[in-house]
Amino acid sequence: MAKPAILTVDDDPAVSRAVARDLRKQYAQDYRIIRADSGQEALDALKELKLRGEQVAVLLADYRMPNMTGLQFLEEAMDLFPRARRVLLTAYADTDAAIQAINVVDLDHYLLKPWHPPEEKLYPVMDAMLEAWKAAPDRPVADVKIVGHRWSAPSFKVRDFLARNMVSYRWYTTDDAEGQRLLTAAGLTEADVPLVVTAEGKTMVAPTEAELAVQVGLTTTPASDFYDLVVVGGGPAGLGAAVYGASEGLRTVLLEERATGGQAGQSSRIENYLGFPDGVSGAQLTDRARRQAVKFGAELLTACRVTRLAVEGSARVLHFEDGTTIAAHSVILATGVSYRRLTAPGLEQFHGRGVYYGSASTEAPSCSDQDVYIVGGANSAGQAAMFFSRYARRVHLVIRAPNLNASMSRYLIQQIASVPTIEVHPCTEIIGADGDEHLERLTLRSMDGSGERTVDSSWLFIFIGAEPRTDWLDGVVQRDARGFVLTGPDVESGADHAALGRDPYHLECSVPGVFAAGDVRADSVKRVASAVGEGAMAVSLVHRYLVEGQ
């Protein structure tokens, strides 16, 4: 493995050489010093390092650069190396910008120019940054390779799982020469894809998500069989509960069936979350929350499918699909919701082959210069429209309502109106899909009676409805007619709460010690901030419940 890199970028060649010179003088023995003369050149260098699986310890960027400022560079660099420490080089007149950057790019430090003598003004800052990075470095990227068909649903499922869990991988189609070489080396044919090759050379054919999680280094089994708190679901509510539970001393484990972040984690840009005036991607927010939970001692388990909740005395026992169990004093249900399936003829057969539920950001580059159709009128659909507009020739937003006003935030409506390549189709629905190997055509119907039309498109992304998928709680926890979990005053109090001499707490379910937070809860506010708040509130109620039982 190559030495970790320190990257510096400044458009002034003299300054750029001076920074690199001073850094090499002090740190060349343990770090590779890379310099760039523009933000784009620096990003290109970072992308190359990422593909090679190398590490980046510190990023130093000048604030005033043409085409791409230091802030813009650092924000984009976060997506590549989120654990790298970030330093902004500023003049005295730009200190306000540096303070702003603390929120925008989670800045670690700003350094005033000139920094001479470096022994007093540069090296102490760098020493602190490097020590902080070494305490929590970005792990070397496992060079996972995937070989599959372009229009293969199982191949998409593997890529989507890795992408949502922020596992770097390289994708080869069966038409690629390298893909053919990998298949030959594994003794397989094109009929055996998807093939996954781990960094250690282990091969897997069409692995399950649980098998894949183990091989790429995700944690799938608990370290203990009993906890103070089990959080089921890794969206904003679940991550919020894990952070507050662990930080307040509870032995906490979070169980996630697929990938932390939930629907919010797939969002390309969340712009109405407190503290991020320039917005933050769902992946960035999820990664920070996940690291924060782990820092406080929470266990995060992936590919854990919970099939049943049981009450055994004071213990709350969760049963997994593989037959194992885990128990705790208390449980927080934060499983969120799933997008509802469209039932129009043809759609199901093209799922993963042109029809996708949610953002499926892995497919965005393939949409270049093509027409993309998005179904849904809420914020998630609006954010997807803005995201895909950066790639597609035209984005068509299909909604059944006469306009977006009732279901979408005003800021998103204004953004969509400002993008000429986004077209909203009101009072319209998808009634059919057709194609051969993959989706090729959609049939749309105007609900005002003006008729049907067929359009050419290989891309349909669906963001409609909300299904809580809480069947596994049937007979144990009270739910409403749609399956959402009832809490607090909505619960019909039973003998269990009567024995405690109280009604259910605000976020408590019909089972004492079991709480619900976020979108899975009946009548919840469907926003990231409220989900995080409910996760934190649920932990405070868990404390009250645990004290009550002692």
Side-chain angles (χ1 to χ4, degrees), residues 456-524:
D456 293 330
S457 180
S458 297
W459 307 99
L460 176 64
F461 299 90
I462 301 168
F463 299 82
I464 61 168
E467 295 183 343
R469 304 194 185 281
T470 54
D471 294 347
W472 61 281
L473 296 170
D474 191 30
V476 181
V477 172
Q478 290 180 20
R479 299 172 294 149
D480 68 11
R482 298 168 59 199
F484 290 92
V485 176
L486 298 174
T487 59
D490 295 328
V491 171
E492 296 179 11
S493 297
D496 291 332
H497 282 100
L500 298 175
R502 64 170 177 82
D503 292 328
Y505 294 135
H506 178 60
L507 298 179
E508 193 173 23
C509 305
S510 56
V511 177
V514 178
F515 302 81
D519 291 357
V520 74
R521 192 175 65 83
D523 298 323
S524 64

Side-chain angles (χ1 to χ4, degrees), residues 101 105 121 188 190-191 213 235 291 366 404 406 411 461 498 510 519:
V105 297
K121 297 184 178 180
L188 303 172
E190 293 184 12
R291 286 189 282 129
S366 300
L404 297 168
Y411 80 90
F461 299 90
S510 56
D519 291 357

Side-chain angles (χ1 to χ4, degrees), residues 351-374:
H351 183 210
R353 296 187 293 134
V355 176
Y356 307 94
Y357 290 86
S359 184
S361 58
T362 54
E363 304 305 292
S366 300
C367 299
S368 179
D369 296 325
Q370 300 182 51
D371 278 26
V372 167
Y373 281 77
I374 295 173

Side-chain angles (χ1 to χ4, degrees), residues 317-541:
V317 182
L318 293 157
H319 293 251
F320 295 127
E321 190 174 39
D322 63 1
T324 61
T325 62
I326 190 173
H329 291 301
S330 60
V331 174
I332 294 177
L333 304 174
T335 50
V337 294
S338 300
Y339 292 116
R340 182 168 56 83
R341 293 296 181 99
L342 270 183
T343 57
L347 289 180
E348 191 60 34
Q349 73 183 81
F350 294 121
H351 183 210
R353 296 187 293 134
V355 176
Y356 307 94
Y357 290 86
S359 184
S361 58
T362 54
E363 304 305 292
S366 300
C367 299
S368 179
D369 296 325
Q370 300 182 51
D371 278 26
V372 167
Y373 281 77
I374 295 173
V375 179
N379 279 9
S380 54
Q383 290 160 352
M386 293 297 298
F387 174 68
F388 283 106
S389 69
R390 291 153 45 185
Y391 299 88
R393 175 176 57 204
R394 194 162 192 82
V395 175
H396 301 267
L397 190 57
V398 180
I399 60 174
R400 293 170 59 91
N403 55 56
L404 297 168
N405 295 336
S407 55
M408 190 176 293
S409 295
R410 172 57 55 181
Y411 80 90
L412 267 175
I413 296 175
Q414 292 172 338
Q415 287 182 0
I416 287 171
S418 70
V419 180
T421 56
I422 299 179
E423 181 178 354
V424 180
H425 300 269
C427 301
T428 304
E429 59 183 349
I430 305 286
I431 63 169
D434 191 21
D436 294 323
E437 183 183 10
H438 60 90
L439 175 69
E440 296 178 70
R441 291 170 294 279
L442 292 167
T443 302
L444 283 66
R445 179 171 62 195
S446 296
M447 299 171 65
D448 59 7
S450 60
E452 302 175 2
R453 66 186 187 278
T454 298
V455 296
D456 293 330
S457 180
S458 297
W459 307 99
L460 176 64
F461 299 90
I462 301 168
F463 299 82
I464 61 168
E467 295 183 343
R469 304 194 185 281
T470 54
D471 294 347
W472 61 281
L473 296 170
D474 191 30
V476 181
V477 172
Q478 290 180 20
R479 299 172 294 149
D480 68 11
R482 298 168 59 199
F484 290 92
V485 176
L486 298 174
T487 59
D490 295 328
V491 171
E492 296 179 11
S493 297
D496 291 332
H497 282 100
L500 298 175
R502 64 170 177 82
D503 292 328
Y505 294 135
H506 178 60
L507 298 179
E508 193 173 23
C509 305
S510 56
V511 177
V514 178
F515 302 81
D519 291 357
V520 74
R521 192 175 65 83
D523 298 323
S524 64
V525 178
K526 304 297 189 285
R527 289 292 184 267
V528 175
S530 62
V532 173
E534 287 192 5
M537 186 189 303
V539 170
S540 70
L541 297 175

Side-chain angles (χ1 to χ4, degrees), residues 283-344:
Q284 289 175 344
L285 191 63
T286 296
D287 183 56
R288 294 179 187 183
R290 181 168 46 201
R291 286 189 282 129
Q292 197 172 14
V294 171
K295 180 185 77 171
F296 287 123
E299 289 182 43
L300 271 60
L301 308 185
T302 307
C304 294
R305 180 177 170 80
V306 181
T307 58
R308 186 163 68 92
L309 170 66
V311 178
E312 298 182 6
S314 62
R316 306 295 179 254
V317 182
L318 293 157
H319 293 251
F320 295 127
E321 190 174 39
D322 63 1
T324 61
T325 62
I326 190 173
H329 291 301
S330 60
V331 174
I332 294 177
L333 304 174
T335 50
V337 294
S338 300
Y339 292 116
R340 182 168 56 83
R341 293 296 181 99
L342 270 183
T343 57

Side-chain angles (χ1 to χ4, degrees), residues 33-306:
I33 311 303
I34 301 172
R35 75 178 184 91
D37 295 327
S38 70
Q40 189 57 55
E41 181 182 338
L43 281 177
D44 291 341
L46 287 180
K47 291 174 182 177
E48 185 176 345
L49 292 172
K50 189 71 172 179
L51 291 174
R52 295 205 301 257
E54 298 186 25
Q55 298 170 290
V56 176
V58 180
L59 301 167
L60 297 94
D62 181 57
Y63 172 62
R64 290 185 179 274
M65 293 190 294
N67 300 322
M68 180 184 294
T69 68
L71 292 183
Q72 293 169 330
F73 162 71
L74 290 174
E75 186 174 15
E76 292 200 38
M78 286 174 65
D79 291 334
L80 296 171
F81 291 95
R83 295 181 185 271
R85 297 294 155 164
R86 293 169 285 277
V87 179
L88 192 67
L89 301 175
T90 70
Y92 284 103
D94 296 326
T95 53
D96 287 343
I99 294 172
Q100 173 194 357
I102 293 174
N103 274 339
V104 177
V105 297
D106 199 15
L107 190 68
D108 294 299
H109 203 280
Y110 64 90
L111 186 65
L112 292 176
K113 299 187 292 185
W115 58 85
H116 297 294
E119 290 77 12
E120 295 180 12
K121 297 184 178 180
L122 176 63
Y123 298 155
V125 171
M126 288 298 301
D127 289 344
M129 293 298 99
L130 292 170
E131 284 299 318
W133 177 80
K134 285 188 287 187
D138 56 328
R139 59 186 178 186
V141 176
D143 193 13
V144 178
K145 302 176 184 67
I146 306 171
V147 182
H149 294 303
R150 173 67 193 87
W151 296 109
S152 160
S155 297
F156 164 74
K157 189 175 181 180
V158 168
R159 289 187 291 129
D160 189 56
F161 178 81
L162 293 180
R164 292 187 61 186
N165 282 285
M166 298 183 184
V167 177
S168 180
Y169 66 87
R170 299 189 185 186
W171 160 248
Y172 305 93
T173 69
T174 53
D175 297 328
D176 293 330
E178 181 65 13
Q180 288 290 338
R181 285 192 286 267
L182 289 170
L183 287 173
T184 300
L188 303 172
T189 69
E190 293 184 12
D192 299 314
V193 297
L195 165 67
V196 178
V197 184
T198 69
E200 297 75 25
K202 179 179 176 60
T203 60
M204 296 179 288
V205 177
T208 65
E209 291 181 347
E211 293 168 340
L212 192 57
V214 170
Q215 294 301 325
V216 300
L218 300 175
T219 304
T220 60
T221 56
S224 176
D225 57 5
F226 198 92
Y227 294 82
D228 294 321
L229 170 63
V230 173
V231 181
V232 186
L239 287 168
V243 167
Y244 281 94
S247 67
E248 294 175 12
L250 298 178
R251 290 173 298 163
T252 302
V253 59
L254 182 149
L255 313 176
E256 170 53 47
E257 183 175 340
R258 196 149 194 273
T260 51
Q263 289 184 4
Q266 294 179 277
S267 175
S268 58
R269 181 69 58 178
I270 302 169
E271 298 193 56
N272 58 353
Y273 189 68
L274 185 67
F276 294 89
D278 293 310
V280 60
S281 74
Q284 289 175 344
L285 191 63
T286 296
D287 183 56
R288 294 179 187 183
R290 181 168 46 201
R291 286 189 282 129
Q292 197 172 14
V294 171
K295 180 185 77 171
F296 287 123
E299 289 182 43
L300 271 60
L301 308 185
T302 307
C304 294
R305 180 177 170 80
V306 181

